[in-house]
Amino acid sequence: DIKLARDVRDIEQVRIPAHTLKSSARLVGAAALADLCQALEDAASNSDWQDVDRLIPRVSEALGLATNLITRKLGDLDYANS
């Protein structure tokens, strides 16, 4: 969990999931989330804790928005196939 990694100041455990989430976000077309994950990955790669601390809440919010949108779209597909 990225937040836990931040809390214990484990920079690699921030960078790795940010990279993975970035790739997944790009795959589903969540460009804003992917861009934030890229910024978080870059900050972690540079051991820039100030940016890491600033970006994690933004990534979390964007992830929530993307998850809600995907869930709604999948629901629309289920309804359309009924």
Side-chain angles (χ1 to χ4, degrees), residues 18-29:
H19 175 80
T20 302
L21 183 55
K22 173 192 70 181
S23 300
S24 298
R26 290 203 197 291
L27 186 65
V28 299

Side-chain angles (χ1 to χ4, degrees), residues 50-62:
Q50 186 174 3
D51 269 357
V52 167
D53 291 337
R54 179 183 61 81
L55 287 163
I56 285 178
R58 295 178 64 199
V59 169
S60 183
E61 181 181 354

Side-chain angles (χ1 to χ4, degrees), residues 22-72:
K22 173 192 70 181
S23 300
S24 298
R26 290 203 197 291
L27 186 65
V28 299
L33 175 58
D35 291 346
L36 285 168
C37 289
Q38 179 68 63
L40 180 57
E41 181 182 1
D42 292 345
S45 292
N46 293 323
S47 297
D48 184 344
W49 282 109
Q50 186 174 3
D51 269 357
V52 167
D53 291 337
R54 179 183 61 81
L55 287 163
I56 285 178
R58 295 178 64 199
V59 169
S60 183
E61 181 181 354
L63 177 58
L65 292 171
T67 300
N68 288 338
L69 180 61
I70 291 167
T71 300
R72 263 188 298 163

